[in-house]
Amino acid sequence: MTHARRAAKFLLDEARTDWHDASLWHVRSKRDGSISGIPEWESLRQLGSDIKDNVLSNLDAYLEEFEERATANGVIVHWATDAEEHNRIVHGILQHHGVDRIVKSKSMLTEECGLNDYLETQGVEVVDTDLGERIIQLRSEPPSHIVMPAIHLKKEEIGALFHEKLGTEPGASDPQYLTEAARQHLREKFLAARAAITGVNFAIAETGGIVVCTNEGNADMGVHLAPVQIHCMGIEKIIPRAEHLGVFTRLLARSATGQPVTIYTSHHHRPKPGGEMHVVIVDNGRTTQLGREDFRNSLKCIRCGACMNTCPIYRRSGGHSYDYTIPGPIGSILSPGIDLKKHGDLAFASTLCGSCSDVCPVKIDIHEQLYKWRQIVSAEGHLGAAKRLPLLGAGTVLRHDTLYNFVGQAARTALRLAPRAAVYHRFNAWGESRELPEIPRESFKQWYARTQNPPA
Amino acid sequence: MSSKTTILQQIRDAKPAPRRLPNLPPDPSPDPAGWEEAFREVLAASKATFVAPQNLLDYVKGSGARTIVSTVAGIDGTLDLLAIDDPLQLAGVDLAVLPARLGVAENGAMWVSEAEAVHRVLPFITQHLLLVLERKDLVGTMHEAYRRIDIAATGFGVFIAGPSKTADIEQSLVIGAHGPRSLVVCLR
């Protein structure tokens, strides 16, 4: 199924679509309000982008430096070329300690690797502790947004879910009440867990430490109570020096939710007394993306989600319509590189309006990459006939001046005279959800010749 | 070939030509006049509250907290942190009173390391948190903050910018997600 088909399903409920659209636009507006307090915002974005350029050009050296410092700090560093190796490493650590229940805070990498499913088949109970993540875990769903995983759900649905799974009052849907119920439920899990897993926002080469940002405090509750802490990171999470955290912490939360900073910015450098600290460094396709000149910039992403909140397509199609771990514009430039046949259509889930690139805190040229992926999808023969044939026709027309003039004139006449059913029918996929503008009587060329003549 | 070798080799084959690491801009000219006001405003927006230094003792006494731990000189707790060896024993703490090493005017973040917290989980597991910050330890931005602290000096350190919160249910702000239900700041 294509993104367009899944989006069409989402759009069947118009009121809900409007609600989803407005919720995300609200977050985008908060972001705008929050950056207006930083006069140097644009130069800060440039700085973030430039630091990440340096990181990508020196990634091997920074990773080695990180491992060396981390190891000296008493941290155990692991390397995984792909998702499967990552999952085996994590399971191996748990097995070594005889751990059969863990708590986990939000990590898009472990979602990407399918860690939860893997561990559960190995008999390990995994409890996601971010409230949004726990909600979707209890619903056996993937997240629909990277920062707000349950943004697609209404409080009444969450109330019904908690009633069924956590025994809350039937019909209760007050967010305060539901959050309190989750707090009590998860506190028990925190106190019982023998190992905790988190993602990584930033890994610092200079110090060998990692930084995890949350608002709820769930990552810290897990990590500091469990004897074994495991942090999973993609290779691109590295930054050179501690001082660069100043740049990225200023960019991240403002772009993500409009907060001036996340409530908790936690810096982990050494295992707790008597504990163990592991860092798993994962490639899983990232070095391939690094080798693609046109697309390597996508690895600068700091996972703020701003491109989703602003995207007119994402807001009106929902995160699940992308059918990929990272939805929205950034996911649409990351996923075709993983599986072009499966995810190539995501390059078309955009109006190419460029709003994603405008809000990106590290200035990734997202909409330009979407455009480039479209060309690759087409060149590799993955375009559906509904797109391929009209484009083929348009290509011919646009290449020939006389033909262009003729077809333009013919279309203007035909479209004015044709009954509606002749234009909007089942063979016109474009017209399924779009209306043509009012048909003008003359072309721009004709108008120009008429009004601007005689030329100076 | 080990996975490490494979990954590093693939990076070397794929990476772009060297790009210079940019210099960070200098700190804004030191004009701390507006810092305290900015600090108070942004923390209030994050639902933190303030207590005046002269009221600190009375506040702690009158808080109604049964189990209190403190690493601030002059404030006595009901539980001796040094006598605790398992962090699980902190599950019943009602109020933790800790010094913060540094405060950031632009976002209200305060640095608390394990040197101040003794147990890393304490600032998170306590039901309520009170941080005491010296006025002289305010800085303007995160850039200055990271220049002033050594993040690797202790095994763990955290910037705290409010009580724990979530907006995961319909974007409704709820204070008291997994960590403290309130944050009180004493600026002295």
Side-chain angles (χ1 to χ4, degrees), chain A residues 53-54 57 60 67 85 129 132 148 155 180 183 187 215-216 250 263 265 267 269-270 287, chain B residues 3-4 12 15 19 106 120 127 143 146 152 155 157 159 161 166 168 170-171 178-179 181:
Chain A
D53 270 330
N54 168 267
S57 76
D60 50 333
E67 183 190 37
E85 188 175 14
T129 57
M148 301 165 285
K155 60 184 184 207
E180 180 63 28
R183 177 184 171 103
R187 202 155 256 248
N215 280 323
E216 297 183 6
R250 294 186 84 198
I263 298 296
T265 308
H267 305 61
H269 277 85
R270 284 182 277 284
T287 52
Chain B
S3 295
K4 175 186 170 184
R12 284 174 198 129
K15 69 180 185 178
R19 294 286 293 265
E106 70 164 334
R120 295 178 185 189
Q127 296 289 336
H143 302 298
Y146 279 108
F159 278 110
T166 182
D168 273 346
E170 280 198 15
Q171 284 295 296
H178 299 297
R181 300 172 186 275

mmCIF file of all heavy atoms in Angstrom, chain A residues 53-54 57 60 67 85 129 132 148 155 180 183 187 215-216 250 263 265 267 269-270 287, chain B residues 3-4 12 15 19 106 120 127 143 146 152 155 157 159 161 166 168 170-171 178-179 181:
data_model
loop_
_atom_site.group_PDB
_atom_site.id
_atom_site.type_symbol
_atom_site.label_atom_id
_atom_site.label_comp_id
_atom_site.label_asym_id
_atom_site.label_seq_id
_atom_site.Cartn_x
_atom_site.Cartn_y
_atom_site.Cartn_z
ATOM 1 N N ASP A 53 28.652 19.146 9.816
ATOM 2 C CA ASP A 53 29.464 18.918 8.615
ATOM 3 C C ASP A 53 30.836 18.397 9.001
ATOM 4 O O ASP A 53 31.358 17.450 8.407
ATOM 5 C CB ASP A 53 29.637 20.235 7.840
ATOM 6 C CG ASP A 53 28.541 20.442 6.818
ATOM 7 O OD1 ASP A 53 28.017 19.432 6.301
ATOM 8 O OD2 ASP A 53 28.202 21.602 6.542
ATOM 9 N N ASN A 54 31.411 19.047 10.013
ATOM 10 C CA ASN A 54 32.722 18.609 10.478
ATOM 11 C C ASN A 54 32.648 17.185 11.040
ATOM 12 O O ASN A 54 33.528 16.352 10.781
ATOM 13 C CB ASN A 54 33.250 19.581 11.540
ATOM 14 C CG ASN A 54 34.462 19.042 12.262
ATOM 15 O OD1 ASN A 54 34.339 18.416 13.318
ATOM 16 N ND2 ASN A 54 35.644 19.228 11.667
ATOM 17 N N SER A 57 32.571 14.610 8.292
ATOM 18 C CA SER A 57 33.833 14.479 7.568
ATOM 19 C C SER A 57 34.922 13.844 8.428
ATOM 20 O O SER A 57 36.004 13.525 7.935
ATOM 21 C CB SER A 57 34.298 15.846 7.058
ATOM 22 O OG SER A 57 34.833 16.617 8.117
ATOM 23 N N ASP A 60 34.905 8.848 11.728
ATOM 24 C CA ASP A 60 35.699 7.708 12.212
ATOM 25 C C ASP A 60 36.583 8.116 13.382
ATOM 26 O O ASP A 60 36.647 7.432 14.412
ATOM 27 C CB ASP A 60 36.532 7.118 11.068
ATOM 28 C CG ASP A 60 37.321 8.165 10.309
ATOM 29 O OD1 ASP A 60 36.895 9.339 10.271
ATOM 30 O OD2 ASP A 60 38.389 7.825 9.759
ATOM 31 N N GLU A 67 35.251 6.200 21.932
ATOM 32 C CA GLU A 67 35.412 4.873 22.544
ATOM 33 C C GLU A 67 36.576 4.851 23.532
ATOM 34 O O GLU A 67 36.479 4.292 24.629
ATOM 35 C CB GLU A 67 35.639 3.805 21.476
ATOM 36 C CG GLU A 67 35.743 2.408 22.083
ATOM 37 C CD GLU A 67 36.211 1.338 21.102
ATOM 38 O OE1 GLU A 67 37.080 1.642 20.253
ATOM 39 O OE2 GLU A 67 35.704 0.208 21.202
ATOM 40 N N GLU A 85 22.633 -7.354 14.880
ATOM 41 C CA GLU A 85 23.776 -7.414 15.790
ATOM 42 C C GLU A 85 23.521 -6.563 17.040
ATOM 43 O O GLU A 85 23.866 -6.943 18.165
ATOM 44 C CB GLU A 85 25.052 -6.946 15.064
ATOM 45 C CG GLU A 85 26.307 -7.165 15.915
ATOM 46 C CD GLU A 85 27.605 -6.821 15.178
ATOM 47 O OE1 GLU A 85 27.546 -6.180 14.115
ATOM 48 O OE2 GLU A 85 28.673 -7.208 15.698
ATOM 49 N N THR A 129 8.807 3.485 29.093
ATOM 50 C CA THR A 129 8.446 4.298 30.254
ATOM 51 C C THR A 129 8.066 5.731 29.923
ATOM 52 O O THR A 129 7.502 6.419 30.769
ATOM 53 C CB THR A 129 9.602 4.319 31.270
ATOM 54 O OG1 THR A 129 10.775 4.810 30.614
ATOM 55 C CG2 THR A 129 9.847 2.932 31.827
ATOM 56 N N GLY A 132 3.942 8.560 26.425
ATOM 57 C CA GLY A 132 3.424 8.349 25.077
ATOM 58 C C GLY A 132 3.823 6.978 24.529
ATOM 59 O O GLY A 132 3.026 6.285 23.908
ATOM 60 N N MET A 148 6.379 13.080 20.084
ATOM 61 C CA MET A 148 5.078 12.869 20.729
ATOM 62 C C MET A 148 4.458 11.602 20.150
ATOM 63 O O MET A 148 3.647 11.661 19.212
ATOM 64 C CB MET A 148 4.187 14.093 20.473
ATOM 65 C CG MET A 148 4.813 15.375 21.015
ATOM 66 S SD MET A 148 4.053 16.892 20.374
ATOM 67 C CE MET A 148 4.707 16.959 18.706
ATOM 68 N N LYS A 155 -7.837 11.628 24.178
ATOM 69 C CA LYS A 155 -7.755 11.242 25.593
ATOM 70 C C LYS A 155 -8.790 10.180 25.942
ATOM 71 O O LYS A 155 -8.545 9.329 26.803
ATOM 72 C CB LYS A 155 -7.861 12.465 26.493
ATOM 73 C CG LYS A 155 -9.134 13.248 26.349
ATOM 74 C CD LYS A 155 -9.107 14.498 27.213
ATOM 75 C CE LYS A 155 -10.450 15.185 27.112
ATOM 76 N NZ LYS A 155 -10.422 16.588 27.319
ATOM 77 N N GLU A 180 -1.316 10.330 36.317
ATOM 78 C CA GLU A 180 -1.053 9.854 37.679
ATOM 79 C C GLU A 180 -1.119 8.316 37.739
ATOM 80 O O GLU A 180 -0.294 7.663 38.385
ATOM 81 C CB GLU A 180 -2.046 10.485 38.659
ATOM 82 C CG GLU A 180 -1.873 10.068 40.121
ATOM 83 C CD GLU A 180 -0.537 10.488 40.734
ATOM 84 O OE1 GLU A 180 0.033 11.508 40.294
ATOM 85 O OE2 GLU A 180 -0.048 9.771 41.636
ATOM 86 N N ARG A 183 1.963 7.024 36.286
ATOM 87 C CA ARG A 183 3.077 7.250 37.203
ATOM 88 C C ARG A 183 3.157 6.123 38.242
ATOM 89 O O ARG A 183 4.231 5.562 38.487
ATOM 90 C CB ARG A 183 2.896 8.612 37.890
ATOM 91 C CG ARG A 183 3.965 8.933 38.939
ATOM 92 C CD ARG A 183 3.644 10.258 39.649
ATOM 93 N NE ARG A 183 4.505 10.489 40.788
ATOM 94 C CZ ARG A 183 5.538 11.336 40.788
ATOM 95 N NH1 ARG A 183 5.826 12.031 39.714
ATOM 96 N NH2 ARG A 183 6.290 11.481 41.866
ATOM 97 N N ARG A 187 6.125 3.417 38.260
ATOM 98 C CA ARG A 187 7.041 3.483 39.398
ATOM 99 C C ARG A 187 7.369 2.056 39.876
ATOM 100 O O ARG A 187 8.508 1.725 40.177
ATOM 101 C CB ARG A 187 6.430 4.324 40.520
ATOM 102 C CG ARG A 187 7.480 4.885 41.479
ATOM 103 C CD ARG A 187 6.994 6.149 42.176
ATOM 104 N NE ARG A 187 7.600 7.345 41.602
ATOM 105 C CZ ARG A 187 8.484 8.118 42.255
ATOM 106 N NH1 ARG A 187 8.871 7.822 43.479
ATOM 107 N NH2 ARG A 187 9.007 9.190 41.676
ATOM 108 N N ASN A 215 11.640 15.136 29.328
ATOM 109 C CA ASN A 215 10.834 16.025 30.158
ATOM 110 C C ASN A 215 10.260 15.304 31.363
ATOM 111 O O ASN A 215 10.002 15.901 32.394
ATOM 112 C CB ASN A 215 9.659 16.594 29.351
ATOM 113 C CG ASN A 215 10.087 17.750 28.474
ATOM 114 O OD1 ASN A 215 10.934 18.548 28.868
ATOM 115 N ND2 ASN A 215 9.507 17.836 27.295
ATOM 116 N N GLU A 216 10.043 14.002 31.202
ATOM 117 C CA GLU A 216 9.323 13.260 32.236
ATOM 118 C C GLU A 216 10.246 12.792 33.354
ATOM 119 O O GLU A 216 9.801 12.531 34.463
ATOM 120 C CB GLU A 216 8.616 12.063 31.607
ATOM 121 C CG GLU A 216 7.563 12.468 30.595
ATOM 122 C CD GLU A 216 6.802 11.285 30.016
ATOM 123 O OE1 GLU A 216 7.007 10.140 30.469
ATOM 124 O OE2 GLU A 216 6.000 11.503 29.093
ATOM 125 N N ARG A 250 20.494 24.326 22.864
ATOM 126 C CA ARG A 250 19.702 25.535 22.581
ATOM 127 C C ARG A 250 18.780 25.300 21.380
ATOM 128 O O ARG A 250 17.700 25.852 21.312
ATOM 129 C CB ARG A 250 20.621 26.733 22.291
ATOM 130 C CG ARG A 250 21.438 27.169 23.485
ATOM 131 C CD ARG A 250 22.206 28.446 23.176
ATOM 132 N NE ARG A 250 21.379 29.625 23.393
ATOM 133 C CZ ARG A 250 21.668 30.832 22.879
ATOM 134 N NH1 ARG A 250 22.727 30.996 22.108
ATOM 135 N NH2 ARG A 250 20.891 31.855 23.137
ATOM 136 N N ILE A 263 13.267 19.574 30.335
ATOM 137 C CA ILE A 263 13.330 19.649 31.801
ATOM 138 C C ILE A 263 14.617 18.970 32.302
ATOM 139 O O ILE A 263 15.295 19.485 33.175
ATOM 140 C CB ILE A 263 12.084 18.983 32.435
ATOM 141 C CG1 ILE A 263 10.820 19.719 32.006
ATOM 142 C CG2 ILE A 263 12.214 18.948 33.957
ATOM 143 C CD1 ILE A 263 10.693 21.156 32.457
ATOM 144 N N THR A 265 18.384 17.425 31.172
ATOM 145 C CA THR A 265 19.452 17.183 30.207
ATOM 146 C C THR A 265 20.527 16.436 30.984
ATOM 147 O O THR A 265 21.286 17.032 31.745
ATOM 148 C CB THR A 265 19.994 18.510 29.646
ATOM 149 O OG1 THR A 265 18.897 19.290 29.160
ATOM 150 C CG2 THR A 265 20.994 18.268 28.524
ATOM 151 N N HIS A 267 23.747 14.000 31.774
ATOM 152 C CA HIS A 267 25.084 13.699 31.255
ATOM 153 C C HIS A 267 25.651 12.482 31.976
ATOM 154 O O HIS A 267 25.903 12.540 33.177
ATOM 155 C CB HIS A 267 26.003 14.897 31.472
ATOM 156 C CG HIS A 267 25.483 16.184 30.879
ATOM 157 N ND1 HIS A 267 24.294 16.771 31.265
ATOM 158 C CD2 HIS A 267 26.001 16.992 29.915
ATOM 159 C CE1 HIS A 267 24.108 17.891 30.576
ATOM 160 N NE2 HIS A 267 25.126 18.046 29.744
ATOM 161 N N HIS A 269 28.651 9.792 32.343
ATOM 162 C CA HIS A 269 30.057 9.565 31.994
ATOM 163 C C HIS A 269 30.668 8.298 32.582
ATOM 164 O O HIS A 269 31.600 7.739 31.999
ATOM 165 C CB HIS A 269 30.925 10.771 32.389
ATOM 166 C CG HIS A 269 30.888 11.860 31.354
ATOM 167 N ND1 HIS A 269 29.907 12.817 31.311
ATOM 168 C CD2 HIS A 269 31.700 12.111 30.291
ATOM 169 C CE1 HIS A 269 30.125 13.623 30.274
ATOM 170 N NE2 HIS A 269 31.191 13.213 29.633
ATOM 171 N N ARG A 270 30.184 7.885 33.733
ATOM 172 C CA ARG A 270 30.752 6.684 34.342
ATOM 173 C C ARG A 270 29.628 5.852 34.952
ATOM 174 O O ARG A 270 28.588 6.398 35.323
ATOM 175 C CB ARG A 270 31.766 7.075 35.433
ATOM 176 C CG ARG A 270 33.099 7.547 34.849
ATOM 177 C CD ARG A 270 34.103 7.887 35.948
ATOM 178 N NE ARG A 270 33.910 9.229 36.480
ATOM 179 C CZ ARG A 270 34.271 10.354 35.854
ATOM 180 N NH1 ARG A 270 34.804 10.299 34.652
ATOM 181 N NH2 ARG A 270 34.077 11.530 36.413
ATOM 182 N N THR A 287 26.337 4.267 7.218
ATOM 183 C CA THR A 287 27.540 4.508 6.417
ATOM 184 C C THR A 287 27.203 4.516 4.922
ATOM 185 O O THR A 287 27.855 5.204 4.138
ATOM 186 C CB THR A 287 28.642 3.458 6.703
ATOM 187 O OG1 THR A 287 28.087 2.157 6.574
ATOM 188 C CG2 THR A 287 29.210 3.621 8.102
ATOM 189 N N SER B 3 33.215 -5.834 13.982
ATOM 190 C CA SER B 3 32.217 -4.856 13.542
ATOM 191 C C SER B 3 32.774 -3.452 13.626
ATOM 192 O O SER B 3 32.490 -2.604 12.773
ATOM 193 C CB SER B 3 30.963 -4.981 14.407
ATOM 194 O OG SER B 3 30.370 -6.233 14.193
ATOM 195 N N LYS B 4 33.579 -3.219 14.650
ATOM 196 C CA LYS B 4 34.183 -1.887 14.777
ATOM 197 C C LYS B 4 35.031 -1.567 13.548
ATOM 198 O O LYS B 4 34.894 -0.502 12.939
ATOM 199 C CB LYS B 4 35.032 -1.836 16.055
ATOM 200 C CG LYS B 4 35.803 -0.547 16.214
ATOM 201 C CD LYS B 4 36.745 -0.603 17.407
ATOM 202 C CE LYS B 4 37.674 0.594 17.406
ATOM 203 N NZ LYS B 4 38.674 0.530 18.488
ATOM 204 N N ARG B 12 35.364 5.551 6.461
ATOM 205 C CA ARG B 12 36.496 6.146 5.714
ATOM 206 C C ARG B 12 36.245 6.108 4.212
ATOM 207 O O ARG B 12 36.607 7.044 3.494
ATOM 208 C CB ARG B 12 37.793 5.397 6.064
ATOM 209 C CG ARG B 12 38.296 5.811 7.435
ATOM 210 C CD ARG B 12 39.504 5.024 7.932
ATOM 211 N NE ARG B 12 39.584 5.216 9.376
ATOM 212 C CZ ARG B 12 39.683 4.247 10.277
ATOM 213 N NH1 ARG B 12 39.735 2.981 9.891
ATOM 214 N NH2 ARG B 12 39.714 4.531 11.553
ATOM 215 N N LYS B 15 33.063 8.906 3.723
ATOM 216 C CA LYS B 15 32.932 10.254 4.289
ATOM 217 C C LYS B 15 33.371 11.341 3.310
ATOM 218 O O LYS B 15 34.199 11.119 2.437
ATOM 219 C CB LYS B 15 33.732 10.358 5.594
ATOM 220 C CG LYS B 15 35.245 10.309 5.419
ATOM 221 C CD LYS B 15 35.935 10.422 6.771
ATOM 222 C CE LYS B 15 37.450 10.493 6.599
ATOM 223 N NZ LYS B 15 38.135 10.649 7.879
ATOM 224 N N ARG B 19 35.923 18.990 6.615
ATOM 225 C CA ARG B 19 35.256 20.276 6.838
ATOM 226 C C ARG B 19 35.738 20.806 8.182
ATOM 227 O O ARG B 19 35.810 20.064 9.152
ATOM 228 C CB ARG B 19 33.733 20.101 6.853
ATOM 229 C CG ARG B 19 33.157 19.674 5.506
ATOM 230 C CD ARG B 19 33.140 20.814 4.496
ATOM 231 N NE ARG B 19 32.222 21.855 4.884
ATOM 232 C CZ ARG B 19 30.969 21.937 4.440
ATOM 233 N NH1 ARG B 19 30.496 21.039 3.606
ATOM 234 N NH2 ARG B 19 30.181 22.918 4.824
ATOM 235 N N GLU B 106 18.784 32.048 30.463
ATOM 236 C CA GLU B 106 17.940 31.972 29.265
ATOM 237 C C GLU B 106 16.905 30.851 29.319
ATOM 238 O O GLU B 106 15.915 30.898 28.590
ATOM 239 C CB GLU B 106 18.791 31.810 28.003
ATOM 240 C CG GLU B 106 19.462 30.465 27.870
ATOM 241 C CD GLU B 106 19.979 30.191 26.454
ATOM 242 O OE1 GLU B 106 19.436 30.765 25.493
ATOM 243 O OE2 GLU B 106 20.925 29.408 26.317
ATOM 244 N N ARG B 120 22.471 9.323 42.453
ATOM 245 C CA ARG B 120 22.052 9.903 41.174
ATOM 246 C C ARG B 120 20.543 9.983 41.031
ATOM 247 O O ARG B 120 20.024 10.890 40.382
ATOM 248 C CB ARG B 120 22.616 9.052 40.023
ATOM 249 C CG ARG B 120 24.115 9.084 39.942
ATOM 250 C CD ARG B 120 24.626 8.189 38.824
ATOM 251 N NE ARG B 120 26.091 8.148 38.851
ATOM 252 C CZ ARG B 120 26.830 7.592 37.911
ATOM 253 N NH1 ARG B 120 26.260 7.021 36.862
ATOM 254 N NH2 ARG B 120 28.148 7.602 38.006
ATOM 255 N N GLN B 127 9.552 13.043 45.708
ATOM 256 C CA GLN B 127 8.238 13.555 45.294
ATOM 257 C C GLN B 127 8.301 15.058 45.009
ATOM 258 O O GLN B 127 7.596 15.569 44.150
ATOM 259 C CB GLN B 127 7.178 13.253 46.362
ATOM 260 C CG GLN B 127 6.923 11.765 46.594
ATOM 261 C CD GLN B 127 6.187 11.090 45.440
ATOM 262 O OE1 GLN B 127 5.475 11.724 44.667
ATOM 263 N NE2 GLN B 127 6.381 9.786 45.291
ATOM 264 N N HIS B 143 25.830 28.307 26.340
ATOM 265 C CA HIS B 143 27.240 28.345 25.915
ATOM 266 C C HIS B 143 28.136 28.627 27.122
ATOM 267 O O HIS B 143 29.145 27.952 27.346
ATOM 268 C CB HIS B 143 27.479 29.449 24.878
ATOM 269 C CG HIS B 143 26.645 29.314 23.648
ATOM 270 N ND1 HIS B 143 26.730 28.243 22.807
ATOM 271 C CD2 HIS B 143 25.709 30.137 23.116
ATOM 272 C CE1 HIS B 143 25.876 28.406 21.806
ATOM 273 N NE2 HIS B 143 25.241 29.538 21.975
ATOM 274 N N TYR B 146 28.288 25.652 29.683
ATOM 275 C CA TYR B 146 29.195 24.542 29.370
ATOM 276 C C TYR B 146 30.661 24.951 29.483
ATOM 277 O O TYR B 146 31.545 24.108 29.583
ATOM 278 C CB TYR B 146 28.881 23.961 27.988
ATOM 279 C CG TYR B 146 27.711 23.004 28.025
ATOM 280 C CD1 TYR B 146 26.480 23.349 27.476
ATOM 281 C CD2 TYR B 146 27.815 21.767 28.658
ATOM 282 C CE1 TYR B 146 25.399 22.485 27.521
ATOM 283 C CE2 TYR B 146 26.747 20.887 28.716
ATOM 284 C CZ TYR B 146 25.537 21.247 28.147
ATOM 285 O OH TYR B 146 24.474 20.378 28.206
ATOM 286 N N ALA B 152 32.445 16.139 32.683
ATOM 287 C CA ALA B 152 33.030 14.822 32.969
ATOM 288 C C ALA B 152 33.669 14.765 34.353
ATOM 289 O O ALA B 152 34.278 13.766 34.720
ATOM 290 C CB ALA B 152 34.046 14.459 31.888
ATOM 291 N N GLY B 155 30.628 11.301 37.471
ATOM 292 C CA GLY B 155 30.084 10.265 36.599
ATOM 293 C C GLY B 155 28.719 10.617 36.043
ATOM 294 O O GLY B 155 28.296 10.107 35.016
ATOM 295 N N GLY B 157 25.795 14.103 35.818
ATOM 296 C CA GLY B 157 25.336 15.454 36.130
ATOM 297 C C GLY B 157 24.150 15.788 35.254
ATOM 298 O O GLY B 157 24.022 15.262 34.144
ATOM 299 N N PHE B 159 21.185 18.950 34.002
ATOM 300 C CA PHE B 159 20.528 20.251 34.035
ATOM 301 C C PHE B 159 19.053 20.003 34.309
ATOM 302 O O PHE B 159 18.407 19.222 33.597
ATOM 303 C CB PHE B 159 20.670 20.986 32.695
ATOM 304 C CG PHE B 159 21.974 21.690 32.531
ATOM 305 C CD1 PHE B 159 22.924 21.225 31.627
ATOM 306 C CD2 PHE B 159 22.280 22.818 33.287
ATOM 307 C CE1 PHE B 159 24.140 21.877 31.468
ATOM 308 C CE2 PHE B 159 23.493 23.479 33.135
ATOM 309 C CZ PHE B 159 24.426 23.003 32.229
ATOM 310 N N ALA B 161 15.355 21.922 34.714
ATOM 311 C CA ALA B 161 14.730 23.196 34.348
ATOM 312 C C ALA B 161 13.258 23.272 34.740
ATOM 313 O O ALA B 161 12.495 24.053 34.186
ATOM 314 C CB ALA B 161 14.885 23.447 32.849
ATOM 315 N N THR B 166 4.786 16.151 31.426
ATOM 316 C CA THR B 166 4.493 15.462 30.177
ATOM 317 C C THR B 166 3.332 16.165 29.488
ATOM 318 O O THR B 166 2.531 16.829 30.148
ATOM 319 C CB THR B 166 4.126 13.979 30.410
ATOM 320 O OG1 THR B 166 3.892 13.357 29.137
ATOM 321 C CG2 THR B 166 2.865 13.844 31.259
ATOM 322 N N ASP B 168 1.932 14.208 26.827
ATOM 323 C CA ASP B 168 1.733 13.115 25.874
ATOM 324 C C ASP B 168 0.273 12.768 25.649
ATOM 325 O O ASP B 168 -0.059 12.030 24.742
ATOM 326 C CB ASP B 168 2.508 11.871 26.322
ATOM 327 C CG ASP B 168 3.936 11.906 25.791
ATOM 328 O OD1 ASP B 168 4.212 12.730 24.894
ATOM 329 O OD2 ASP B 168 4.774 11.114 26.265
ATOM 330 N N GLU B 170 -2.949 14.313 24.486
ATOM 331 C CA GLU B 170 -3.575 15.450 23.801
ATOM 332 C C GLU B 170 -2.890 16.776 24.066
ATOM 333 O O GLU B 170 -3.551 17.812 24.170
ATOM 334 C CB GLU B 170 -5.057 15.546 24.175
ATOM 335 C CG GLU B 170 -5.917 14.587 23.404
ATOM 336 C CD GLU B 170 -7.399 14.976 23.434
ATOM 337 O OE1 GLU B 170 -7.711 16.108 23.804
ATOM 338 O OE2 GLU B 170 -8.215 14.119 23.079
ATOM 339 N N GLN B 171 -1.567 16.759 24.230
ATOM 340 C CA GLN B 171 -0.832 18.011 24.419
ATOM 341 C C GLN B 171 -1.234 18.764 25.693
ATOM 342 O O GLN B 171 -0.933 19.952 25.841
ATOM 343 C CB GLN B 171 -1.005 18.930 23.199
ATOM 344 C CG GLN B 171 -0.173 18.500 22.008
ATOM 345 C CD GLN B 171 1.308 18.609 22.297
ATOM 346 O OE1 GLN B 171 1.852 19.676 22.516
ATOM 347 N NE2 GLN B 171 1.982 17.449 22.355
ATOM 348 N N HIS B 178 7.132 11.367 35.982
ATOM 349 C CA HIS B 178 7.790 10.293 36.739
ATOM 350 C C HIS B 178 8.665 10.843 37.857
ATOM 351 O O HIS B 178 8.919 10.202 38.842
ATOM 352 C CB HIS B 178 8.648 9.436 35.816
ATOM 353 C CG HIS B 178 7.856 8.781 34.750
ATOM 354 N ND1 HIS B 178 6.871 7.870 35.030
ATOM 355 C CD2 HIS B 178 7.866 8.928 33.412
ATOM 356 C CE1 HIS B 178 6.313 7.476 33.898
ATOM 357 N NE2 HIS B 178 6.900 8.098 32.896
ATOM 358 N N GLY B 179 9.128 12.071 37.659
ATOM 359 C CA GLY B 179 10.000 12.700 38.641
ATOM 360 C C GLY B 179 9.199 13.576 39.584
ATOM 361 O O GLY B 179 7.994 13.363 39.760
ATOM 362 N N ARG B 181 6.990 16.172 41.648
ATOM 363 C CA ARG B 181 5.704 16.820 41.355
ATOM 364 C C ARG B 181 5.808 18.330 41.486
ATOM 365 O O ARG B 181 4.906 19.051 41.068
ATOM 366 C CB ARG B 181 4.645 16.322 42.335
ATOM 367 C CG ARG B 181 4.410 14.817 42.294
ATOM 368 C CD ARG B 181 3.480 14.440 43.435
ATOM 369 N NE ARG B 181 3.333 12.993 43.549
ATOM 370 C CZ ARG B 181 2.464 12.268 42.853
ATOM 371 N NH1 ARG B 181 1.688 12.862 41.970
ATOM 372 N NH2 ARG B 181 2.365 10.973 43.031
#
